[in-house]
Amino acid sequence: MSNAPLIDNHGRLVNYLRLAVTDRCNLRCFYCMPAKGVRFLKNVELLSLAEQKRMLLIMKQLGVHKIRITGGEPFVYTHIEALFDFIASEIQPQTLHLTTNGVLTGKFLPKFKDWGLKSVNLSLDSTNTATFEQMSRRNDFASVWQTLMQLLDMGIALKLNAVITAGVNDAELIPLALLARDYPLDVRFIEEMPFNGVGAREQSLWWDYKRLKNTLNEALGELTPLPAEPNATAVRFAVEGFKGNIGIIAAFSRTFCGSCNRLRVTANGTLKTCLYDDGVLSVRDLLRQYSDDEIIAQKIRAAVSRRAKDGFEAEKNRLTNPKISESMTLIGG
Ligand code: SAM
Ligand code: SF4
């Protein structure tokens, strides 16, 4: 198999994979899923553990050296431990990351260092039980908070992800930001995206990058821009007296596409070369059809060489749902 790096048709090096290991979740965050009637995939539609492993080995050959495990909720996936063990022993990516809601994370924490997890993104949209429950439709705030404290104790780099939605958790913007004053972590505010599952809600973006930044600026004082990290989605700021930093992710405005190095494989094994496309290749079907990894690698290469320039072009090219309505739980964020 050729070891040439994956370069897309716009000259961007592609070396980061975000794998959604399941579409199931123990929460029902209202910006991600409807309250009821979520159509989860059948087991046969999901990538099996063996298929995930094979796909990861192929990606490794293609020069992917940064991996993020996401979901749905990674810790509702039955084989999550086996998958992390395999990644740690066989894939050994340069960096391994995790996105989790932190509810079921506790019993796995002792393994995080063995797995070589470099950082964890913990989703938290509120600093209080009532708003957390309103947003996630579940009463699990205490578990998430405990996970947050344990991760800090372990010294694992921690980023909190928050989606601020008008009329629901606006009042949480500043209390969440102040967590970066009190603890050495990044608090990142993500613009809401239109991936909330069929029938979840009509969305209109009030808390965009600009409004978030201005409001934070007024409340916290000067936000000092930090140098951009390569391929970063978040624009980061330091605030005087803060132990951590503030980030804003213009996920809806899509200002970061120019340096995008990301591939996504969804829970059903669909390859996305942009968050906003509707899938460019079924890696799952290829894994089931071909025993030769080289054929699959070539098809992934070909898909990367037809990559949309940015999220707007990808959205325009969608064959299904011009109004995007799949749930983020399938895609993984
Ligand atoms: N369940 C895990 C969690 O919540 O961290 C991992 C999967 S979740 C889909 C990944 C990230 O996507 C979370 O940080 C969540 O806040 C974010 N997310 C989900 N739906 C979103 C939406 N419609 N707009 C913006 N971010 C969203
Ligand atoms: Fe579950 Fe994460 Fe979606 Fe919330 S954002 S419903 S925790 S997948």
Side-chain angles (χ1 to χ4, degrees):
M1 195 184 293
S2 157
N3 279 331
L6 277 178
I7 311 268
D8 75 10
N9 42 323
H10 308 283
R12 296 172 293 201
L13 176 68
V14 176
N15 55 12
Y16 174 17
L17 172 69
R18 303 171 62 109
L19 172 62
V21 294
T22 178
D23 63 335
R24 268 74 162 175
C25 190
N26 51 324
L27 301 186
R28 289 288 180 278
C29 305
F30 80 103
Y31 51 74
C32 179
M33 284 197 223
K36 292 204 174 102
V38 186
R39 186 198 158 265
F40 290 117
L41 295 165
K42 298 189 193 102
N43 277 347
V44 65
E45 295 175 276
L46 296 163
L47 277 191
S48 67
L49 175 64
E51 288 165 346
Q52 289 169 340
K53 289 179 177 177
R54 193 174 156 211
M55 184 273 298
L56 287 169
L57 286 166
I58 295 170
M59 289 290 184
K60 180 178 178 172
Q61 287 296 317
L62 288 168
V64 168
H65 59 63
K66 173 175 177 180
I67 296 175
R68 173 172 303 278
I69 297 301
T70 176
E73 172 49 38
F75 294 107
V76 303
Y77 177 46
T78 322
H79 302 298
I80 192 66
E81 261 189 283
L83 182 67
F84 269 123
D85 286 344
F86 174 81
I87 294 173
S89 62
E90 307 297 323
I91 303 294
Q92 300 180 344
Q94 277 175 21
T95 62
L96 178 62
H97 309 262
L98 165 72
T99 304
T100 176
N101 63 33
V103 176
L104 306 168
T105 316
K107 77 170 192 184
F108 300 97
L109 288 173
K111 294 210 77 178
F112 277 24
K113 289 226 161 127
D114 300 340
W115 289 335
L117 273 168
K118 181 157 184 254
S119 74
V120 174
N121 288 5
L122 183 67
S123 300
L124 185 68
D125 302 314
S126 167
T127 57
N128 71 73
T129 313
T131 315
F132 179 93
E133 194 171 335
Q134 187 189 358
M135 294 192 76
S136 67
R137 303 177 176 119
R138 296 290 184 274
N139 181 14
D140 285 312
F141 178 78
S143 312
V144 183
W145 191 258
Q146 195 181 5
T147 298
L148 195 169
M149 291 301 146
Q150 287 170 321
L151 285 166
L152 285 171
D153 280 348
M154 288 168 68
I156 290 192
L158 185 56
K159 296 173 188 170
L160 302 185
N161 284 347
V163 181
I164 303 293
T165 49
V168 185
N169 65 339
D170 316 65
E172 283 298 305
L173 175 62
I174 303 308
L176 282 166
L178 290 177
L179 294 177
R181 178 193 64 189
D182 300 336
Y183 302 103
L185 46 77
D186 274 19
V187 178
R188 297 143 26 112
F189 298 101
I190 312 177
E191 283 181 352
E192 187 181 357
M193 291 175 272
F195 298 104
N196 49 40
V198 179
R201 66 190 292 255
E202 280 297 317
Q203 180 211 335
S204 72
L205 187 67
W206 172 259
W207 285 105
D208 63 0
Y209 176 92
K210 219 168 141 191
R211 192 180 302 274
L212 286 164
K213 183 163 176 255
N214 290 343
T215 310
L216 289 163
N217 219 60
E218 273 169 32
L220 308 177
E222 179 79 10
L223 299 185
T224 310
L226 291 168
E229 292 169 344
N231 317 110
T233 50
V235 180
R236 293 169 76 232
F237 303 94
V239 184
E240 201 174 329
F242 276 39
K243 293 184 177 147
N245 297 307
I246 301 290
I248 305 178
I249 304 182
F252 188 78
S253 311
R254 288 162 254 187
T255 47
F256 46 67
C257 300
S259 63
C260 180
N261 64 342
R262 289 171 284 282
L263 292 178
R264 290 176 170 79
V265 171
T266 65
N268 62 358
T270 300
L271 178 75
K272 287 165 73 78
T273 54
C274 173
L275 177 56
Y276 281 85
D277 69 38
D278 53 356
V280 294
L281 195 66
S282 173
V283 178
R284 178 197 66 198
D285 292 353
L286 295 176
L287 289 164
R288 292 178 188 179
Q289 192 178 352
Y290 298 104
S291 56
D292 183 353
D293 290 353
E294 177 61 32
I295 297 176
I296 300 170
Q298 277 172 14
K299 290 188 187 291
I300 294 173
R301 259 187 209 290
V304 169
S305 72
R306 295 189 299 268
R307 205 164 171 232
K309 174 170 98 274
D310 55 29
F312 296 103
E313 187 178 299
E315 188 174 357
K316 202 172 82 214
N317 292 345
R318 288 171 71 93
L319 298 174
T320 57
N321 286 331
K323 247 184 112 200
I324 294 166
S325 58
E326 69 261 35
S327 166
M328 195 64 103
T329 191
L330 177 66
I331 306 168

